[in-house]
Amino acid sequence: MIATFKARSGWSKRVLVSLLLTAAALLLSDSNLLYRWDLFLYDWNRMAWSRAPAEDIVIVAIDEQSLREIGRWPWSRRIHAQLIRQLSAAEARVIGLNIVFAEPETTDPSADAELASALAANGRIVLPLLNEQHRLGEELRETLPIPLLRTAAAGIGHVDVELDLDGIARSVFLKAGLGTSRWPTLALAMLELSDPAAERALPGERARPTASASPSPDAWHRDYRILIPFVGPPGRFQHYSYHDVLRGDFPPASFRGKFVLVGATASGMADALPTPVSGLSRLMPGVEYNANVLDALQQGLTIQALPAHWTLLLTGVLVFFPMLLHSACPARWTLPVAVLSLLLTLISSFVLLYTRQLWFPPAATLLVQGLGCPLWSWQRLLLLIRSLFEQEVRAQVTLHSIGDAVITTDANGAVQYLNPVAESLLGAEPGALRGQKLGSMFEVADEQERYRAVNLVALCLEEGALVRLPEPSILRNDAGEEYAIRASAAPIHDQQMRVVGVVIAFSNITETRRLTEQMRYQANHDALTHLPNLGLLRDRLKHAITRARRSGQSLALLFVDLDQFKKINEGLGHSAGDALLRAVADRLLLCGRKDDTIVRVGGDEFICMLEDLRQEDRVVDFAHKLLRMLETPFQIGNNECVVTASIGICLFPKDGGDVETLLRNADTAMYRAKESGRNNIQFYAHDMHLRSLERLNMEQGLRHALARQELEIHYQPQMDLRRDRIIGVEALLRWRHPQRGLISPLDFIPLAEETGLIESIGEWVLRTACQQAKAWQQKHRPTLRMAVNLSPRQFLRPGMVSMIAEILQETGLEPRYLDLEITESLLMKDVQGSIMTMHALKAIGVRLSIDDFGTGYSSLNYLKQFPIDQLKIDKSFVHDLVLGKEDASITLAIIAMAHSMSLTVIAEGVESEAQKAFLRANQCDEIQGYHLSRPLPADEIPALLN
């Protein structure tokens, strides 16, 4: 009877201990005290498994290559619009831009409209929404794209990512927003946009209901939390460089029918996150993080936390029954049973994860199972104590090995422990600070950048919570050394949650701060001359305008442009050009006062800002002084260079009241100085703006003239003097403006050349002329020749030869009836390149003529290398041909030289019978001019041919 009672009593104790251990496991699981171990197990599990990423998800990366090729960030939104048009042409399924457009573009306002147009034209673009905290302690705020872009975008998706307590990103909230969680995450918005008709039940852990009846409109709310099954370390998804996509350098099917995410991956600018598969050392760019979310949602592989009640139930079962088994098994089975129970817990967690996509945190179960073993075996308990000692030693070794300084104090602020890094930064001997109070060794800058001392230990003890020092913070030790630091302090609690000490961690970021200052300097200064750049000028000019308004004084901007600088670059090389720019910058600095701002705008352009002007004479004196200083030759290597400058001046408030107006007017005045012969000074005047506006209007009209069919071609006959027969015509471009009437080619052809419109216009002229020539050959004269002028920009354009061949094939005109006229001066700019291009044209079979011959100073040695058929005598020699002996001599020499080289000669500008007779008598082959006919519309030419 007594034995039975003892047996029952023993079983009761075992059951009671098992129940207590189960309760402990449930408390640990519910309190989430072992979250770091749970996260470690989850990360280890995820890193052990990887899978192939979806093939229909592509990343367009703003990487280091793109920054080198396109320029510093931020870029103009015109570039983003161009990218969108490229992706639209590539038939991308949905585009997600992980780029914030929270403010309008001030430097180019029309760029926003162009980007909005590209967004609206595509119709399948999602823009990001940010949640930001402007000051420490404030609520999060929504940062949306500017209204223009928000309206044009097809969807908005938030990019909010909440880091876990260990600073690692593992999850995402499918819905979030200010007041209510109404915004989908960027990946979900893209998925919904790809198939709007599909109904999706959102997975994830729902947000816990708040105590109040309605959510706070000023609080950021999150809902539908899911864990992300990453496909692997960063770089698994297919990437294309932003610059390559912008140039169209990608296979045609790269984006067809695919999800495209655009975002930054370049180091230093990307919103990179530490993840289980990348860790803290190799961060994952935000754009790739969103790609992982999209991949998980698309394939239905999202992971959710096991509901709390199921977690507690599974924890209780996995703890209680193994504990009973421990008590029933012999001592020799204690360790195997413990191992099996641990394996069962891990397997249960992993099976749930990979079969049901449910995460069961096993740390509490594993801990209690591990502690259950030594409770039933004192030997195992001793081993546990030894293990704990080893862990303490390992922690000591770890703290001595890390690069951050760590200090622990008691509740009174006295130092109990500090690692060697802390001793080094504090300038103390080993062990010298133990037992002493640290005091106010840290200093924090206020809004006026004045530093005040802070007792971090006392502040943490007072707050009773984690305290981080704002940056910039500095540390001054007793040795007088100063370090820039990043520091935080956290309280140490005992079992009753009483503060028993403080742990301080701080790191030396002096070098990082130095690099940051260096980058800030580079962002605001020109790399070549070390002068301030245009961005810094805008900032200084803005403040200078404010001061000038307050004081009632004036200020001046002098826009300085070096004359003919391009010739130095071409003649001596870019290295010599750079050296000259540095020398010019040094002389500009010598001209100005200490308070004046000298800026390099770019290329060979500088701006000088003069403040505190009481009279305009000082500006004129400064400008003349500048021109005089530039008159002294520059010694660049073994070469002596002389440069002049054109200076445009505008004054505040006379010529403008804001930054952009002053810069624009100074630039306008500078261009007037160039037009006035260079090496002079021009003050801004209102009529300059009108002339610039007139030129701009002409340029805008010219851009639409081709589409509106305002351009037309007139044709001037060319006659063979031996047969008195028209053998060809020259195509001459005319612009019939709807308001201004017929505009002279002298007014719009240089503008078309400068703006690049001459390429499309020239192609149209060539195609139209060839079509017309073929039509006249079929109806009137089978051997009629068509002469067309090639502009410099057309001649230098890559692919020009293939374009001409294509037009000839398209129109059916035989190449021998096309005569391409090239100016003599153009050929002399790049003789070898011109010869290669002309040989390629001759290979097609077209005729080549040198136009305006005699005006370009070409070398006869080069002339014999040109594969040409004809020389065209410039009309300046023909005008006084009969009366002027010099012009007659030159004309005769050209005819004789051409015939000796087996070339034909055509004279243009023939206006009288006497000129015609002279040319006929001296064996000139062909003539062209008003004596035969003025240039005529196409419908009047057949009468001449008949």
Side-chain angles (χ1 to χ4, degrees):
M1 189 73 180
I2 295 175
T4 303
F5 177 78
K6 288 183 177 179
R8 290 179 178 177
S9 176
W11 271 104
S12 298
K13 290 181 180 179
R14 293 171 184 175
V15 171
L16 179 60
V17 171
S18 299
L19 289 173
L20 289 174
L21 289 172
T22 302
L26 294 176
L27 287 173
L28 284 173
S29 178
D30 188 62
S31 63
N32 204 26
L33 290 176
L34 301 178
Y35 74 93
R36 287 188 179 273
W37 287 101
D38 285 322
L39 296 177
F40 169 77
L41 291 171
Y42 176 84
D43 294 347
W44 173 77
N45 186 23
R46 292 310 310 166
M47 286 189 291
W49 295 82
S50 63
R51 56 188 175 84
E55 295 182 355
D56 61 347
I57 298 177
V58 184
I59 293 175
V60 176
I62 302 173
D63 51 10
E64 285 80 3
Q65 177 194 352
S66 301
L67 294 175
R68 287 194 304 270
E69 296 293 337
I70 301 176
R72 294 177 177 169
W73 188 264
W75 300 331
S76 170
R77 291 175 186 171
R78 295 186 187 276
I79 296 178
H80 300 310
Q82 183 180 351
L83 177 79
I84 291 171
R85 289 191 287 269
Q86 286 279 29
L87 294 176
S88 301
E91 300 178 7
R93 185 177 181 183
V94 179
I95 303 172
L97 291 181
N98 196 13
I99 306 172
V100 181
F101 303 108
E103 296 180 357
E105 183 163 334
T106 57
T107 58
D108 187 6
S110 62
D112 288 332
E114 183 173 343
L115 178 56
S117 175
L119 294 175
N122 181 278
R124 285 179 173 266
I125 298 179
V126 179
L127 295 182
L129 157 75
L130 291 182
N131 57 324
E132 294 183 309
Q133 187 179 35
H134 292 261
R135 291 187 177 88
L136 186 64
E138 285 189 352
E139 293 287 344
L140 293 173
R141 300 178 181 178
E142 286 183 354
T143 300
L144 288 161
I146 62 174
L148 180 63
L149 301 183
R150 186 164 69 245
T151 303
I156 301 293
H158 76 80
V159 289
D160 172 34
V161 177
E162 183 181 50
L163 301 181
D164 289 329
L165 296 175
D166 60 344
I168 303 293
R170 300 176 178 85
S171 62
V172 71
F173 290 87
L174 297 182
K175 293 283 188 176
L178 195 65
T180 59
S181 51
R182 66 185 183 277
W183 298 108
T185 187
L186 184 70
L188 179 59
M190 293 177 66
L191 202 59
E192 291 174 345
L193 189 60
S194 68
D195 189 5
E199 295 183 2
R200 295 182 177 84
L202 295 183
E205 180 182 355
R206 296 302 306 274
R208 295 182 180 179
T210 58
S212 59
S214 59
S216 171
D218 298 324
W220 184 259
H221 293 270
R222 301 181 174 101
D223 205 355
Y224 296 100
R225 178 179 183 266
I226 61 170
L227 296 169
I228 305 170
F230 296 92
V231 299
R236 292 294 302 276
F237 286 95
Q238 188 175 7
H239 282 64
Y240 288 94
S241 174
Y242 191 107
H243 177 254
D244 290 342
V245 177
L246 202 62
R247 295 189 310 169
D249 189 9
F250 56 86
S254 300
F255 301 101
R256 185 177 299 122
K258 297 182 181 180
F259 294 92
V260 181
L261 289 108
V262 182
T265 62
S267 59
M269 67 171 288
D271 49 341
L273 300 167
T275 64
V277 294
S278 62
L280 296 169
S281 59
R282 184 186 178 192
L283 303 182
M284 178 178 289
V287 64
E288 190 160 357
Y289 193 90
N290 285 317
N292 276 279
V293 177
L294 178 59
D295 180 79
L297 288 172
Q298 188 181 11
Q299 301 190 40
L301 298 177
T302 58
I303 301 172
Q304 304 179 48
L306 188 67
H309 60 281
W310 286 108
T311 300
L312 294 176
L313 178 60
L314 187 55
T315 300
V317 170
L318 290 174
V319 172
F320 181 76
F321 290 102
M323 290 301 102
L324 284 180
L325 190 60
H326 268 301
S327 63
C329 290
R332 64 178 180 274
W333 289 101
T334 301
L335 185 58
V337 170
V339 172
L340 287 175
S341 61
L342 292 172
L343 287 176
L344 178 62
T345 300
L346 289 174
I347 292 173
S348 300
S349 177
F350 296 165
V351 168
L352 282 172
L353 183 61
Y354 288 103
T355 61
R356 308 290 296 178
Q357 281 81 49
L358 294 173
W359 167 241
F360 165 65
T365 305
L366 294 173
L367 177 62
V368 175
Q369 288 174 341
L371 291 175
C373 180
L375 288 175
W376 307 110
S377 174
W378 291 107
Q379 185 178 4
R380 302 301 177 207
L381 182 59
L382 293 176
L383 291 176
L384 176 62
I385 295 173
R386 185 182 303 171
S387 176
L388 291 174
F389 175 75
E390 290 176 355
Q391 289 183 9
E392 183 180 357
V393 172
R394 190 178 297 112
Q396 291 283 349
V397 173
T398 302
L399 289 174
H400 279 66
S401 303
I402 62 176
D404 292 345
V406 179
I407 303 174
T408 60
T409 72
D410 58 18
N412 296 319
V415 175
Q416 291 181 325
Y417 168 82
L418 68 167
N419 66 353
V421 177
E423 291 175 342
S424 174
L425 292 178
L426 294 176
E429 296 293 330
L433 293 177
R434 295 183 187 272
Q436 298 183 17
K437 293 186 178 182
L438 293 175
S440 302
M441 62 179 182
F442 299 108
E443 296 184 10
V444 179
D446 57 17
E447 295 180 354
Q448 286 76 34
E449 297 188 358
R450 293 175 300 189
Y451 283 87
R452 58 182 178 85
V454 174
N455 189 329
L456 186 56
V457 176
L459 185 60
C460 182
L461 291 172
E462 180 182 347
E463 296 287 338
L466 175 68
V467 175
R468 300 182 188 274
L469 288 184
E471 297 183 30
S473 299
I474 61 173
L475 165 68
R476 288 192 177 94
N477 59 27
D478 294 336
E481 298 171 326
E482 182 178 306
Y483 301 97
I485 54 98
R486 181 185 294 114
S488 63
I492 304 173
H493 298 90
D494 61 9
Q495 293 180 348
Q496 288 74 36
M497 297 304 295
R498 293 175 299 188
V499 178
V500 296
V502 174
V503 57
I504 302 173
F506 56 97
S507 54
N508 181 6
I509 59 170
T510 304
E511 181 63 18
T512 304
R513 180 76 60 78
R514 185 191 66 79
L515 292 175
T516 301
E517 293 296 329
Q518 180 180 345
M519 292 176 63
R520 184 180 293 112
Y521 178 86
Q522 291 174 348
N524 291 318
H525 289 78
D526 175 54
L528 178 65
T529 62
H530 301 291
L531 293 175
N533 60 17
L534 188 57
L536 185 55
L537 173 66
R538 281 192 168 95
D539 183 66
R540 290 187 180 179
L541 182 55
K542 180 179 178 181
H543 290 88
I545 289 173
T546 302
R547 290 192 297 270
R549 283 199 177 101
R550 190 182 304 120
S551 64
Q553 294 182 347
S554 179
L555 65 87
L557 285 185
L558 291 83
F559 204 118
V560 182
D561 184 273
L562 302 182
D563 300 326
Q564 307 294 341
F565 177 75
K566 183 179 179 182
K567 292 184 178 179
I568 295 176
N569 262 343
E570 293 175 348
L572 301 180
H574 288 280
S575 297
D578 291 345
L580 178 60
L581 289 174
R582 286 191 292 267
V584 169
D586 292 339
R587 292 195 186 178
L588 291 178
L589 291 173
L590 293 175
C591 286
R593 302 176 306 180
K594 182 180 180 181
D595 297 335
D596 297 335
T597 298
I598 312 294
V599 172
R600 183 187 177 208
V601 179
D604 57 353
E605 296 177 340
F606 300 84
I607 292 181
C608 306
M609 182 177 72
L610 309 181
E611 295 188 63
D612 300 330
L613 295 179
R614 293 177 175 82
Q615 52 188 2
E616 296 183 6
D617 292 346
R618 179 173 174 261
V619 182
V620 177
D621 293 342
F622 181 87
H624 284 297
K625 178 181 178 182
L626 193 152
L627 292 179
R628 287 194 300 272
M629 291 197 72
L630 292 179
E631 289 175 356
T632 304
F634 293 87
Q635 191 66 35
I636 306 300
N638 297 325
N639 300 289
E640 190 175 78
C641 301
V642 177
V643 294
T644 59
S646 300
I647 302 177
I649 303 175
C650 74
L651 303 172
F652 170 86
K654 174 185 174 184
D655 300 325
D658 59 84
V659 172
E660 297 305 323
T661 301
L662 290 172
L663 290 174
R664 183 175 62 250
N665 292 343
D667 182 65
T668 301
M670 181 272 292
Y671 276 104
R672 173 50 59 89
K674 279 191 170 298
E675 293 172 359
S676 302
R678 298 185 173 88
N679 194 27
N680 70 92
I681 303 164
Q682 291 288 331
F683 276 85
Y684 173 78
H686 182 65
D687 64 328
M688 294 182 183
H689 174 69
L690 295 178
R691 281 191 289 271
S692 298
L693 185 61
E694 181 182 357
R695 184 181 184 276
L696 180 61
N697 290 335
M698 180 177 288
E699 178 183 340
Q700 292 174 346
L702 188 58
R703 290 186 183 277
H704 301 290
L706 191 58
R708 295 171 179 170
Q709 299 182 352
E710 296 173 3
L711 298 180
E712 56 188 53
I713 302 177
H714 287 192
Y715 301 90
Q716 189 170 36
Q718 297 175 334
M719 172 180 282
D720 186 338
L721 287 177
R722 293 185 178 89
R723 294 182 293 169
D724 277 337
R725 178 180 175 85
I726 294 176
I727 45 86
V729 294
E730 180 180 6
L732 300 171
L733 182 63
R734 297 292 185 265
W735 180 13
R736 193 172 298 278
H737 194 277
Q739 283 82 36
R740 300 175 59 181
L742 203 62
I743 299 178
S744 170
L746 297 177
D747 293 334
F748 72 87
I749 291 294
L751 181 61
E753 183 78 26
E754 180 182 342
T755 59
L757 295 172
I758 194 65
E759 294 186 14
S760 58
I761 294 175
E763 183 175 347
W764 174 82
V765 169
L766 186 61
R767 178 175 281 104
T768 304
C770 289
Q771 290 173 344
Q772 186 63 69
K774 185 62 179 178
W776 284 335
Q777 286 180 349
Q778 293 173 344
K779 292 183 179 181
H780 304 285
R781 190 158 299 176
T783 61
L784 186 71
R785 192 175 67 208
M786 177 63 69
V788 180
N789 289 281
L790 281 183
S791 73
R793 195 152 187 157
Q794 277 183 288
F795 187 74
L796 300 174
R797 173 187 177 186
M800 181 267 298
V801 177
S802 59
M803 182 265 291
I804 293 175
E806 180 181 340
I807 290 176
L808 288 171
Q809 183 177 4
E810 175 186 327
T811 59
L813 182 67
E814 293 185 38
R816 58 179 174 156
Y817 295 123
L818 177 62
D819 186 359
L820 298 178
E821 296 187 358
I822 308 164
T823 61
E824 181 184 8
S825 57
L826 169 62
L827 297 176
M828 297 310 299
K829 288 184 177 179
D830 181 8
V831 175
Q832 297 303 322
S834 299
I835 292 173
M836 292 177 61
T837 303
M838 294 173 75
H839 277 293
L841 289 170
K842 289 300 295 180
I844 298 176
V846 301
R847 285 171 52 87
L848 296 177
S849 299
I850 294 184
D851 195 10
D852 301 335
F853 187 77
T855 62
Y857 308 103
S858 59
S859 167
L860 296 181
N861 181 48
Y862 286 133
L863 186 62
K864 68 181 182 180
Q865 299 181 46
F866 294 149
I868 57 176
D869 301 284
Q870 183 173 257
L871 296 180
K872 194 168 192 178
I873 302 174
D874 186 68
K875 61 184 178 181
S876 61
F877 301 118
V878 178
H879 184 266
D880 294 327
L881 187 64
V882 179
L883 302 177
K885 294 183 179 181
E886 292 182 357
D887 289 340
S889 300
I890 293 173
T891 302
L892 294 176
I894 293 174
I895 294 173
M897 178 191 66
H899 288 165
S900 68
M901 298 174 67
S902 301
L903 304 177
T904 61
V905 181
I906 181 171
E908 64 176 344
V910 177
E911 299 179 352
S912 67
E913 181 64 31
Q915 293 171 343
K916 175 182 175 182
F918 180 91
L919 293 168
R920 186 198 301 273
N922 290 283
Q923 305 301 312
C924 181
D925 302 295
E926 300 169 9
I927 62 170
Q928 172 184 343
Y930 273 62
H931 181 65
L932 297 180
S933 172
R934 60 179 177 83
L936 300 173
D939 56 359
E940 297 182 24
I941 291 296
L944 293 177
L945 298 179
N946 294 331

